[in-house]
Amino acid sequence: MRKGILGLTAAAAALSLGLTACGGDNGGTSTAQDSAGASSAAAKPGKIGVILPDSKSSARWETADRKYLEEAFKAANVAYDIQNAQGDKTAFQTIADQMITNGATVLVIVNLDSGTGKAVLDKAKSQGVATIDYDRLTLGGSASYYVSFDNTKVGTLQGEGLVKCLTDKKADKPIIAELNGSPTDNNATLFKAGYDGVLKPKYDSGDYKKGPDQSVPEWDNTQAGTIFEQMLTSEPKIAGVLAANDGLGNAAIAVLKKQKLNGKVPVTGQDATVQGLQNILAGDQCMTVYKAIKKEADATAELAIALAKGEKPAATGSVKDSESGRDVPSVLLDPQPIYFDSVKDVVADGYVTKDELCTGDFAAKCTEAGVQ
Ligand code: BGC
């Protein structure tokens, strides 16, 4: 049943791809952002196309992933093209088509959902283009490799972080709200499995009380604010917020601020964005999870470059696709929890600069937190 529906979606998507491709070179890419990368090198050993998902669900895609991938490709002197689908699934498919038409022999994607991701991967494969799932695994997909972090561990760190901050505050039977990532992002499922693994025993033992628990479509930060506002209205005694990334966390913090509850109710996050780190410095956010995107980009570039040369690179492990049961050759990196005292580690690692972090009132906080 499920397979049938998927098959149909893929077929329909492939059909619409064909139609869009006939529409001309510019069709659907007006929302996409072109990188100057295509001109960076002679088209040898093969062109690598990268499609990023959007620029709003997290600052990381444009500020970190694009930058580090670009640096890696330039250093290797390979031809590449990095574009951003800006949350538009049709544009995503059109970009993939155009990249292949323009000679991409390797396609790296961060899917917007598994259905459209699978359509893109399958079509690429049928044309002899090698594929890599970057950061998000496409369920039921056909990518040759998957590069990401241990995403269940990311969730575990978030759950443990919330527990630590609630313990520091000596919270008594706190009511917990969960603001989950996009229901169409396999990572969001893994994050939730991780943090629920920590929180559920606390709910079961009566230490914590389970409050509202909702997913945020497309990780949309604005919707997250609306959803959290409703959560807080229905349950004004929320005492801890498990927010799946810094953007969702910031949306919750904005709502808490209106009730003068910021700083009293710990909020989690992920991505170590400048905003998330500043919220930690201000005391409004309890923790974030730092993922060294440079390592993720470097590992991906290494695989992509080998594939472009026609090699069969080795992965360090494998991940089981929960839908197809396929073992996907994978590289999974280790995430790191960040609290007030370890904000400095993110700066020391070069992920954010002191200049962008320690602006205005944050300068004094940076000093207090030992940011160098
Ligand atoms: C990524 C996170 C990101 C989120 C929203 C997830 O798939 O792993 O780092 O915050 O998507 O873009």
Side-chain angles (χ1 to χ4, degrees):
M1 178 70 182
R2 199 166 158 76
K3 273 227 166 76
I5 291 170
L6 260 180
L8 200 65
T9 316
L15 192 67
S16 84
L17 273 176
L19 290 174
T20 320
C22 295
D25 273 356
N26 298 326
T29 50
S30 50
T31 53
Q33 224 173 296
D34 263 340
S35 87
S39 62
S40 70
K44 276 181 186 172
K47 195 155 146 187
I48 299 164
V50 180
I51 314 180
L52 300 173
D54 63 69
S55 47
K56 290 191 183 145
S57 66
S58 172
R60 62 168 282 187
W61 305 115
E62 283 301 325
T63 62
D65 297 273
R66 178 187 287 275
K67 179 178 77 179
Y68 292 128
L69 285 167
E70 229 162 48
E71 280 174 11
F73 294 142
K74 278 186 182 155
N77 199 31
V78 292
Y80 67 94
D81 182 15
I82 304 176
Q83 296 197 38
N84 190 316
Q86 303 296 1
D88 182 334
K89 290 170 200 160
T90 308
F92 195 101
Q93 293 177 310
T94 310
I95 293 169
D97 268 355
Q98 289 175 340
M99 285 177 166
I100 295 171
T101 305
N102 291 338
T105 58
V106 182
L107 195 60
V108 177
I109 68 163
V110 185
N111 75 54
L112 286 170
D113 66 14
S114 283
T116 52
K118 176 178 163 50
V120 164
L121 294 170
D122 289 354
K123 193 171 184 193
K125 193 177 176 191
S126 76
Q127 302 189 27
V129 173
T131 51
I132 300 177
D133 266 334
Y134 181 61
D135 202 71
R136 299 177 180 167
L137 182 67
T138 302
L139 296 181
S142 56
S144 316
Y145 296 89
Y146 170 52
V147 181
S148 193
F149 287 81
D150 178 340
N151 291 308
T152 310
K153 181 163 178 199
V154 170
T156 305
L157 295 175
Q158 292 172 318
E160 289 170 356
L162 190 61
V163 169
K164 173 179 156 27
C165 296
L166 287 165
T167 308
D168 288 352
K169 289 197 181 305
K170 302 193 174 34
D172 185 32
K173 300 201 172 29
I175 299 175
I176 310 298
E178 295 187 24
L179 210 46
N180 312 303
S182 172
T184 62
D185 180 351
N186 181 56
N187 284 347
T189 308
L190 300 174
F191 301 148
K192 186 164 172 61
Y195 50 74
D196 280 350
V198 176
L199 296 175
K200 196 167 175 299
K202 300 258 175 203
Y203 299 147
D204 290 348
S205 68
D207 279 354
Y208 290 6
K209 194 165 168 253
K210 187 165 168 52
D213 178 356
Q214 230 175 296
S215 294
V216 179
E218 274 112 49
W219 294 91
D220 183 293
N221 293 192
T222 312
Q223 278 195 64
T226 311
I227 292 171
F228 188 71
E229 190 125 44
Q230 286 160 0
M231 287 180 167
L232 197 60
T233 307
S234 70
E235 184 49 89
K237 289 194 180 139
I238 288 172
V241 183
L242 194 309
N245 79 357
D246 285 354
L248 306 188
N250 187 64
I253 289 166
V255 174
L256 290 168
K257 274 185 181 161
K258 287 198 250 171
Q259 309 294 330
K260 301 207 162 35
L261 287 170
N262 55 308
K264 294 187 181 131
V265 175
V267 177
T268 64
Q270 169 183 190
D271 288 345
T273 59
V274 169
Q275 185 181 61
L277 295 172
Q278 288 182 334
N279 281 335
I280 293 178
L281 290 173
D284 292 341
Q285 184 171 324
C286 137
M287 59 87 69
T288 186
V289 177
Y290 171 51
K291 301 189 295 192
I293 306 299
K294 185 177 175 356
K295 287 192 186 142
E296 190 181 18
D298 284 349
T300 303
E302 202 180 315
L303 287 175
I305 291 163
L307 287 168
K309 289 181 184 154
E311 296 167 8
K312 278 205 168 204
T316 51
S318 77
V319 161
K320 200 177 263 314
D321 177 334
S322 62
E323 196 164 295
S324 65
R326 182 172 73 103
D327 285 320
V328 188
S330 302
V331 177
L332 287 192
L333 302 158
D334 204 30
Q336 190 188 327
I338 300 294
Y339 299 88
F340 185 90
D341 290 335
S342 43
V343 166
K344 61 177 182 305
D345 296 353
V346 183
V347 179
D349 209 34
Y351 189 67
V352 300
T353 64
K354 189 179 176 188
D355 278 359
E356 55 189 344
L357 181 65
C358 307
T359 53
D361 290 348
F362 295 111
K365 293 283 179 191
C366 277
T367 309
E368 200 186 318
V371 175
Q372 304 259 331

